[in-house]
Amino acid sequence: MRVLVAEDEEILAELVATGLRRAGFAVDTVYSGDAALAYLGLHDYDVVVLDRDLPRVHGDDVARRLVSTGSRTRILMLTASGTMEDRVEGLDLGADDYVSKPFEFPELVSRVRALRRRSARPVPPRLERYGIRLDSARRAATRDGRELDLSPKEFTVLQLLLEADGGTVSAEELLERAWDANADPFTGAVRVCMSKLRAKLGEPALIRTVQGVGYAL
């Protein structure tokens, strides 16, 4: 759900980030290898979309350092070269998947989703609890057969609550998993999103606030 795009072509990086956000991911972008390492050290990413030819610290070195730490972050490597030798070399460095430029964006989104599923604990693509049915592949949700018109952020928050299976999810965890690095933790973004989600879910109320702890279904 949270993705880092490390690509030195800034226009391409922002295009990829915009598309991934529309697909429901929280996305940060960096344009150099040293910045990628800094962000990877600060945040828990599910997937890093990593260009091999990054300045200052090469993408190969970023991959090596990430693998050496035992990180659960999955690596989707991008390269301008599509030869078999380059693909093998990238995978040998520890990349989990490999995409050559130029690429078809729907394929990139699909590959990121597949890698995210591998980085997290196994959950079914369809979650059905408390009268809610959520299809993560189609990005669709219903309650008691009524279609829910959710924003990407609301959908992600609902998915996290459903995956918790009745457990409590803290506001800090929601902010970490559903928002990007630009989110201000003091803005009340989680509270506002939760209020809108509750209204769209309707009555009887499903989301409860666990005082001082977080939220649960």
Side-chain angles (χ1 to χ4, degrees), residues 134-156:
L134 185 145
D135 187 328
S136 60
R138 294 178 50 245
R139 306 292 296 178
T142 61
R143 179 180 183 183
D144 299 327
R146 173 175 61 87
E147 187 171 347
L148 300 172
D149 182 19
L150 304 179
S151 71
K153 199 74 67 185
E154 292 159 357
F155 185 95
T156 300

Side-chain angles (χ1 to χ4, degrees), residues 19-85:
L20 289 173
R21 289 185 186 111
R22 288 173 178 169
F25 295 97
V27 185
D28 298 323
T29 55
V30 292
Y31 314 115
S32 65
D34 56 342
L37 289 172
Y39 270 63
L40 288 164
L42 286 172
H43 305 290
D44 182 18
Y45 292 99
D46 296 293
V47 178
V48 55
V49 179
L50 180 66
D51 181 34
R52 286 192 75 177
D53 296 318
L54 290 174
R56 294 202 284 274
V57 177
H58 196 274
D60 290 358
D61 292 325
V62 174
R64 288 190 188 98
R65 294 191 202 181
L66 194 59
V67 171
S68 70
T69 64
S71 172
R72 290 173 57 86
T73 301
R74 299 296 181 176
I75 302 170
L76 175 59
M77 193 166 275
L78 298 180
T79 182
S81 175
T83 66
M84 182 185 69
E85 290 79 8

